[in-house]
Structure formats: structure tokens, C-alpha cells
Amino acid sequence: MLRSNCGKVGGVISSVTVAALVAGVVGTAYSETATATLVAPDDGTYTKTWSISGTGATGLSINASTGAVTGTPTTAGVATVTYTVNDSHNTTKTGTTAITIAATRAAEVTETDK
């Protein structure tokens, strides 16, 4: 639906939801793509940007356009992935998710360990 407000045309964003991402491990290559759902269909006027921050983000990078998170984490912690959307009415909404980066991979229990 198109709405008019002070000469601006386009939908107004009501919320943004970012899907969960899998955890990572220090020293192990990471490659996942973040996805988001907007409550208000994009009418072509939205600007969208992905960003990443936090202690677990060291060694990771994110493609600001596609949400692709790649790299090899070098520090354990939590990386926060944020999706920022701005509509033609200058309404800005963000959605976030976290990537937990572990120092080591959890040990697997095998039949011989029991």
C-alpha cells in the first residue's frame, strides 16, 4: 500500500526481525548469510544496511548489502549483527541477532567414551 505524507510516497516500516545465525569457533572459518523480515513490504524506497560489532566480531566481516558474514573469528565472545532500514518517511528501524563465538569446539562424545 502506498501512503502519502508531506509529499513522500512509500510504506512505513513497523518492525524488523533478523533470523538467528549459527555459532562459530575461534580459528574456524565462518560463512553464513543473515536474513531479515520487514513488517511492511519494501516499496523500493527503503535503504538497508547490515553491520557487525562486538568482541566476537574480531576477524569477521559483513557485506553491508547482502548480509554475508565471513572470516575466521580470532576472539571468543558475542558478535552482534544489526540490520538497519530507513524508509522514505525517515523512519528508521533496526533488528539484531547475535553470533556466539566459542574459544574451542565442544567435545563430541563417542561410543568408546561411554
Side-chain angles (χ1 to χ4, degrees):
M1 169 173 39
L2 295 178
R3 298 180 185 177
S4 180
N5 182 10
C6 300
K8 296 179 181 179
V9 177
V12 177
I13 310 159
S14 57
S15 69
V16 177
T17 303
V18 179
L21 290 167
V22 299
V25 178
V26 170
T28 302
Y30 188 91
S31 180
E32 291 289 324
T33 299
T35 59
T37 303
L38 304 176
V39 177
D42 184 351
D43 61 5
T45 64
Y46 295 179
T47 57
K48 302 167 226 133
T49 305
W50 288 99
S51 60
I52 192 166
S53 62
T55 56
T58 307
L60 296 176
S61 62
I62 192 164
N63 180 304
S65 299
T66 67
V69 180
T70 58
T72 302
T74 59
T75 306
V78 176
T80 301
V81 174
T82 303
Y83 191 58
T84 304
V85 182
N86 187 287
D87 66 22
S88 60
H89 301 275
N90 285 329
T91 301
T92 299
K93 297 287 182 177
T94 60
T96 61
T97 192
I99 304 169
T100 301
I101 305 298
T104 59
R105 189 171 305 282
E108 292 183 24
V109 176
T110 64
E111 288 299 315
T112 57
D113 292 335
K114 293 181 182 178

